[in-house]
Amino acid sequence: MRQFYETWCPNVFRQPVAGELKEYDNEPIIIRQPAAGELQLTPSRLDFSRDVFDIELAHDFLSISFTHHMEILNKTNTLEQRLFYIQKSAEFKWNKYELRDQLKKDLYDHQSLMPNNFLKSLPKHSQALKAIEMFKDEYLLDYINVEELNVRDKSDADEKVVEQEIVHNVKNFIMMFGHDFTFVGNQYHLEKFGENEFIDLLFYNRELACLVAVELKKGKFKPSYLGQLQSYLQILDTDIRKPNENPSIGIILCREANKAYVEFVIRKYDNPMGVATYKTAADMPEELRKALPDEEQLKELLSADEK
């Protein structure tokens, strides 16, 4: 309680000066303008440049539990980070375990940073901003462990192996990927003028009201990937998209990408696309992996506990 008070005291809990008191549900909410240096803003992130506690944000602050607040306080360093996780917890109604998972995946530092051409290629500005906010620049597929897949060298784990693991863990992938996604299928078949194409993973997003095609690549980003993805999107929009849906979006998921180079190359494409990277359990630091017990040791520990 003391940590909670001392953290928020400079921002919320003080006597209001004239004109600062607003009412929300008949309860006073005290607000003030942020002091210089309190907020580090980037153009693509949520704009907290308004009063630190306006009515909307005050509602989010009061709607999450004390446990949520303490999880956030213990695992964030700045005011902007805290406000971000408070708002997301309230918006998506995360329980404490979902919040911990998002904190572990460092959602704040990866949201809205994916190289993309959404502002140029999507017809509605509001739609483009939603898409920018939704996708991250890096995804942690920590449920994929190539060592358990009988792959001798983790570099041999190609996109087909990763794809199958995502399909087997599609619920985890959707929770990691974002809000309001529905899985349509993998190796989704497209045919045009006698040519057959197969999309690695196809989703539908209710909030964006569009199909989202995901292509998996095991290595470093190559510009040719965008050309391949654009052909998929053109067929989707011509043959699969319904009249009430927005243009389809394409995402390249690869192991490495030079963001500056991607942003330079992607500008010439007319279909909405973005490029993100992913990590698996095999990318965990070697010293940490060595420190963890193996599967048999874990079974023995659990068995001893039960006894």
Side-chain angles (χ1 to χ4, degrees):
M1 289 297 293
R2 178 173 178 172
Q3 180 187 356
F4 177 84
Y5 173 79
E6 290 179 344
T7 299
W8 289 109
C9 182
N11 302 294
V12 187
F13 304 116
R14 66 173 177 81
Q15 290 297 317
V17 297
E20 281 193 332
L21 193 60
K22 290 187 179 181
E23 294 290 326
Y24 183 78
D25 286 346
N26 299 318
E27 294 292 332
I29 299 297
I30 298 176
I31 63 171
R32 67 173 181 81
Q33 291 288 340
E38 281 187 329
L39 300 178
Q40 300 297 320
L41 299 178
T42 59
S44 60
R45 286 202 173 128
L46 295 176
D47 184 5
F48 289 115
S49 58
R50 59 188 185 272
D51 291 342
V52 172
F53 268 75
D54 64 11
I55 296 302
E56 179 184 350
L57 189 51
H59 177 265
D60 293 342
F61 185 90
L62 296 173
S63 69
I64 67 174
S65 73
F66 185 71
T67 301
H68 283 70
H69 277 292
M70 294 315 298
E71 287 285 340
I72 293 169
L73 290 185
N74 289 327
K75 295 172 184 174
T76 56
N77 299 311
T78 68
L79 176 61
E80 189 187 14
Q81 289 175 328
R82 292 171 193 136
L83 295 178
F84 172 82
Y85 285 110
I86 287 170
Q87 185 182 55
K88 292 299 181 184
S89 295
E91 180 181 356
F92 299 128
K93 296 179 173 59
W94 290 337
N95 60 38
K96 64 180 180 181
Y97 302 107
E98 291 169 326
L99 172 60
R100 286 174 187 169
D101 195 42
Q102 297 300 335
L103 287 162
K104 173 188 172 184
K105 292 173 181 174
D106 197 11
L107 176 63
Y108 172 82
D109 283 322
H110 291 293
Q111 49 93 29
S112 307
L113 297 176
M114 181 184 70
N116 64 82
N117 64 351
F118 296 153
L119 286 171
K120 169 182 175 290
S121 58
L122 286 169
K124 295 180 181 178
H125 187 72
S126 59
Q127 176 84 357
L129 293 178
K130 282 183 182 179
I132 289 171
E133 182 185 337
M134 181 165 294
F135 296 103
K136 300 188 291 184
D137 66 327
E138 183 177 84
Y139 293 92
L140 176 62
L141 309 183
D142 55 355
Y143 49 84
I144 298 176
N145 191 335
V146 294
E147 293 179 350
E148 295 178 355
L149 302 177
N150 296 319
V151 179
R152 292 181 181 178
D153 186 339
K154 69 178 182 180
S155 63
D156 291 335
D158 62 16
E159 49 261 32
K160 298 299 181 188
V161 173
V162 177
E163 175 194 326
Q164 288 303 315
E165 285 303 294
I166 288 175
V167 172
H168 293 156
N169 296 274
V170 69
K171 179 180 178 182
N172 290 333
F173 184 80
I174 288 174
M175 289 177 66
M176 171 218 66
F177 208 46
H179 184 60
D180 270 347
F181 279 92
T182 300
F183 181 53
V184 177
N186 67 303
Q187 291 302 304
Y188 190 87
H189 179 229
L190 301 174
E191 190 274 332
K192 196 72 175 177
F193 303 116
E195 298 292 332
N196 294 295
E197 303 284 4
F198 297 88
I199 300 173
D200 287 343
L201 300 164
L202 185 63
F203 297 88
Y204 182 80
N205 185 268
R206 292 175 59 207
E207 185 173 353
L208 297 175
C210 72
L211 293 164
V212 178
V214 178
E215 279 295 292
L216 296 164
K217 302 298 178 182
K218 71 173 183 178
K220 191 173 181 179
F221 166 79
K222 296 178 182 178
S224 59
Y225 296 158
L226 295 174
Q228 177 189 20
L229 184 59
Q230 177 161 268
S231 67
Y232 295 168
L233 296 177
Q234 288 175 341
I235 299 173
L236 283 174
D237 284 344
T238 302
D239 298 348
I240 309 298
R241 178 170 66 126
K242 298 184 184 299
N244 61 311
E245 293 176 351
N246 291 311
S248 303
I249 289 175
I251 304 294
I252 299 287
L253 266 183
C254 51
R255 296 304 295 261
E256 297 179 60
N258 182 320
K259 288 186 180 181
Y261 181 56
V262 173
E263 288 173 350
F264 173 77
V265 173
I266 206 171
R267 291 181 301 178
K268 70 174 184 177
Y269 289 91
D270 296 326
N271 291 88
M273 295 185 288
V275 177
T277 57
Y278 69 89
K279 290 183 178 180
T280 67
D283 300 310
M284 188 183 297
E286 184 66 23
E287 59 273 17
L288 182 56
R289 287 201 293 151
K290 286 181 178 179
L292 293 173
D294 60 27
E295 184 177 355
E296 292 304 316
Q297 288 175 314
L298 281 173
K299 287 180 179 178
E300 290 177 8
L301 290 169
L302 290 171
S303 176
D305 275 350
E306 288 174 0
K307 290 178 182 177

